[in-house]
Amino acid sequence: MKKIIVLILLSTFYLSHSQETLGLILDDANAVKSDGYTLFNPRSDDRVFLIDNCGEVMRQWDFSGRKSVSSYILENGNILQSSRFDADIRDWDNNILWGINYQDTFGFEIHHDIEPLPNGNFLVLVRDIYTNTEMFAEGLDTSYILDTLVLERILEIQPVGTDSAQIVWEWKLFDHLVQNFDNTKPNFGVVADNPQLLDMNFDNGNASNLIHANALDYNEDLDQLAFSSRSLSEVFVIDHSTTTVEAASHTGGTYGKGGDFLWRWGNPEVYDQGTAADKKLGRQHDIKWITEGPTQGMMSVFSNDGYGNDFFASSIHILDQSDTNGVYSMDSGKFLPQDYFWSWDGVIMGEVMHAAAQSGLQILSNGNALINESDIGRLTEVDPAGNILWVYRIPVGNDLDFDQFSQPEGNGAFRAHRYPANYVGFNGLAFNNTGIIENQNSISDDCVNRLSVDDSELSDLSVFPNPTRDVLNFEFARRIDRIQVYSMTGKKVLSKSDSDFINLEDLAKGMYIVEVSIDNNSEFIKVLKD
């Protein structure tokens, strides 16, 4: 008897087995999830994984024994990854095309996030450290007792050859300060009247770590970049169209503001336009523009301290920043919006969503949210109504693959990103399904094969070629009544009657389930479109 795959399309939710502790631990089979592939790299492991929604590994890279922090699949199919010390670019087959050590090349280390740009360059965050004497000369309050003050630089790096690079653009926070402490020093002004500048004397209780930037994002349409400051509980947007000289000034660039803040949000107390009660974000991470779906053009952010002040639960948000072609509005001295466009905080499989550090959020094409809780290595897809649709617990850490039913350690990822199945970077590339990472997972099995049954009626059915780029052919002794194609989330994407072939050319690359119906029998076949 031939074992075949039967796709169950139920009208009630199918909630997967709860006993699993690793890999796919919840899968609502009836929900409309975002179809695509999720990229993650645990901080304590040198491997990078691209998985499908069933938790199966479709591609894998490494970082030559080093631990990467950020990884991004580029539009040409290569992968860019970086740690504090090193960066490299690899092709789809894990061959190193370019690599540098930041210290050897530039004399510094980076921290936290990187951001690839459409021109092949990428942005990095670098701490910019000044002595207290240097900052006293700029108007720092002389009661400051520490030896140094840490500010921020954002650099654009251009890869050169196979092992070199150059800095082609720079922005420094040092050039965009205001102070109301000493009118004989530079930067003197009224803080509340200068929201485009940072109050260098704002006391946020973070000692010398005034900024602690932790995220970068780029908007190609606006030529603007966003970054997040954990210490200030604020997110910022600046103009990237400037030259380095203009970025150090208050004029120039597309928006005429030089390197001054075009927009800031989350904690108006920092620019003397509110109190602690007005804080909307708390030690947040992963500010970025939403690039697809119903809220495209808005921004998303993970607030580690829920709604700005809850230290025991985190919250996720969509912000409608109320810009007109990249020009941002204010009301009563404060940047809009006045409140969140959408928010969620809740319980995921019996645990309150909470991450004290790092973590992230991606709003997907269907409006769902992909949440990354870095502390516990948990990835969750939730819909706008707050329904939990999909939960994956990273089963890798400390250079180990953990067995099912164990509790992983070191499995947290700084970032996780889901690429849609039709992402341009996948064009012309073949996926290589190597199965799940953990040793067993009944939920993943059910995701791939919703129900396995024995059926001999269609044992002679032939399907070819598989994988296929376009036409999928069928051979059987009797007439085929109907061919239907489903995405891995259970959505029907193609249908054809009375035919011995179906053309998948217009579908995105990835795995599909094809149902072949003959008389009263059906067979379900897993097909890879490459």
Side-chain angles (χ1 to χ4, degrees):
M1 305 290 282
K2 182 179 179 182
K3 198 171 189 180
I4 65 174
I5 298 171
V6 176
L7 183 67
I8 301 295
L9 300 175
L10 299 172
S11 59
T12 58
F13 283 171
Y14 171 85
L15 294 178
S16 302
H17 308 282
S18 61
Q19 71 270 16
E20 266 71 8
T21 60
L22 297 172
L24 190 60
I25 59 176
L26 185 147
D27 179 37
D28 184 341
N30 196 51
V32 179
K33 298 184 283 291
S34 173
D35 194 15
Y37 305 98
T38 303
L39 185 77
F40 62 84
N41 52 312
R43 295 168 302 189
S44 65
D45 201 286
D46 81 330
R47 292 170 292 177
V48 183
F49 298 92
L50 184 69
I51 62 169
D52 65 10
N53 281 349
C54 289
E56 296 181 311
V57 177
M58 310 304 291
R59 211 68 189 175
Q60 180 177 326
W61 300 263
D62 63 52
F63 200 38
S64 301
R66 299 163 294 176
K67 317 298 183 187
S68 62
V69 175
S70 301
S71 297
Y72 296 95
I73 298 176
L74 307 178
E75 292 187 351
N76 61 6
N78 295 332
I79 184 168
L80 168 67
Q81 53 186 341
S82 177
S83 67
R84 288 173 51 198
F85 312 105
D86 305 282
D88 72 24
I89 297 174
R90 295 171 184 247
D91 66 15
W92 190 247
D93 297 316
N94 200 37
N95 299 305
I96 300 175
L97 305 177
W98 171 88
I100 60 167
N101 176 276
Y102 292 114
Q103 188 68 49
D104 293 344
T105 305
F106 300 117
F108 57 69
E109 300 169 5
I110 73 161
H111 65 92
H112 291 82
D113 211 1
I114 63 172
E115 172 68 6
L117 300 176
N119 62 5
N121 300 344
F122 63 100
L123 300 168
V124 299
L125 292 165
V126 179
R127 291 188 175 94
D128 198 21
I129 303 174
Y130 296 87
T131 66
N132 57 2
T133 301
E134 290 174 314
M135 295 308 297
F136 291 152
E138 298 295 323
L140 182 66
D141 189 330
T142 51
S143 66
Y144 182 79
I145 62 173
L146 300 175
D147 293 333
T148 60
L149 185 69
V150 182
L151 299 179
E152 198 67 43
R153 299 164 66 195
I154 301 176
L155 307 176
E156 180 177 344
I157 293 178
Q158 179 186 50
V160 176
T162 60
D163 59 0
S164 187
Q166 60 184 5
I167 296 171
V168 296
W169 183 84
E170 179 180 17
W171 176 90
K172 297 174 68 173
L173 182 58
F174 178 84
D175 300 316
H176 306 282
L177 302 174
V178 64
Q179 55 89 13
N180 59 3
F181 173 72
D182 188 341
N183 63 5
T184 68
K185 298 294 192 299
N187 310 302
F188 183 77
V190 178
V191 171
D193 293 341
N194 290 277
Q196 78 281 8
L197 304 174
L198 180 69
D199 179 8
M200 62 195 297
N201 288 309
F202 179 74
D203 183 5
N204 57 18
N206 284 279
S208 66
N209 194 2
L210 178 63
I211 303 303
H212 193 103
N214 57 29
L216 278 172
D217 193 55
Y218 177 70
N219 187 313
E220 181 178 7
D221 293 334
L222 302 177
D223 203 4
Q224 295 178 356
L225 65 89
F227 68 96
S228 167
S229 168
R230 175 181 170 90
S231 293
L232 297 173
S233 294
E234 273 197 294
V235 292
F236 301 86
V237 170
I238 60 175
D239 188 356
H240 177 261
S241 73
T242 58
T243 64
T244 294
V245 172
E246 290 171 333
S249 74
H250 310 293
T251 60
T254 299
Y255 305 94
K257 304 293 185 181
D260 288 348
F261 305 140
L262 301 178
W263 179 76
R264 62 195 299 179
W265 200 84
N267 190 8
E269 182 182 18
V270 181
Y271 56 101
D272 207 16
Q273 287 289 352
T275 67
D278 299 307
K279 189 167 68 167
K280 298 290 187 181
L281 299 176
R283 301 187 298 170
Q284 73 293 324
H285 285 77
D286 203 17
I287 181 67
K288 57 174 171 268
W289 280 275
I290 300 169
T291 60
E292 53 187 353
T295 54
Q296 182 175 355
M298 297 185 191
M299 303 185 85
S300 62
V301 66
F302 186 104
S303 184
N304 296 79
D305 301 335
Y307 301 95
N309 293 289
D310 188 345
F311 295 103
F312 302 100
S314 299
S315 55
I316 59 174
H317 306 283
I318 294 176
L319 311 176
D320 183 355
Q321 61 275 21
S322 303
D323 69 289
T324 302
N325 298 321
V327 177
Y328 301 84
S329 300
M330 302 181 73
D331 182 37
S332 301
K334 293 191 288 189
F335 281 98
L336 296 174
Q338 294 180 348
D339 211 339
Y340 319 102
F341 178 83
W342 175 86
S343 300
W344 185 82
D345 65 308
V347 175
I348 301 171
M349 299 190 70
E351 294 180 309
V352 173
M353 181 185 71
H354 180 237
Q358 301 189 10
S359 302
L361 169 66
Q362 178 188 359
I363 303 301
L364 305 167
S365 60
N366 62 358
N368 293 350
L370 180 68
I371 304 165
N372 170 31
E373 294 169 275
S374 292
D375 289 9
I376 58 175
R378 183 169 65 182
L379 312 179
T380 301
E381 183 174 350
V382 59
D383 70 16
N387 299 307
I388 308 299
L389 312 181
W390 180 90
V391 182
Y392 183 87
R393 188 82 182 273
I394 295 174
V396 172
N398 298 322
D399 295 315
L400 297 172
D401 297 352
F402 296 101
D403 288 338
Q404 190 60 266
F405 311 118
S406 64
Q407 292 296 325
E409 296 180 356
N411 65 323
F414 178 69
R415 287 283 178 270
H417 188 86
R418 182 170 297 167
Y419 294 87
N422 62 351
Y423 177 58
V424 64
F426 298 147
N427 289 343
L429 299 174
F431 290 90
N432 180 27
N433 188 338
T434 58
I436 61 175
I437 303 172
E438 62 275 22
N439 58 326
Q440 60 178 307
N441 191 315
S442 62
I443 302 176
S444 285
D445 291 341
D446 287 341
C447 179
V448 176
N449 315 313
R450 293 298 181 200
L451 183 64
S452 294
V453 299
D454 287 333
D455 194 331
S456 60
E457 291 293 323
L458 303 179
S459 60
D460 294 329
L461 176 67
S462 297
V463 183
F464 61 93
N466 186 12
T468 182
R469 290 181 180 273
D470 40 48
V471 175
L472 191 66
N473 298 290
F474 304 87
E475 282 188 357
F476 193 65
R478 298 197 304 277
R479 178 177 64 91
I480 295 174
D481 296 320
R482 186 178 68 253
I483 305 165
Q484 298 186 97
V485 182
Y486 299 88
S487 73
M488 294 304 292
T489 63
K491 180 181 178 182
K492 184 163 66 177
V493 293
L494 281 179
S495 182
K496 191 173 185 181
S497 300
D498 297 324
S499 177
D500 59 0
F501 74 93
I502 192 166
N503 195 335
L504 310 185
E505 181 179 9
D506 293 334
L507 297 182
K509 287 194 214 114
M511 204 69 68
Y512 294 88
I513 299 294
V514 177
E515 178 190 10
V516 182
S517 300
I518 300 170
D519 295 334
N520 293 319
N521 299 296
S522 292
E523 180 162 354
F524 291 79
I525 303 137
K526 197 172 183 181
V527 172
L528 178 63
K529 162 72 189 309
D530 64 10

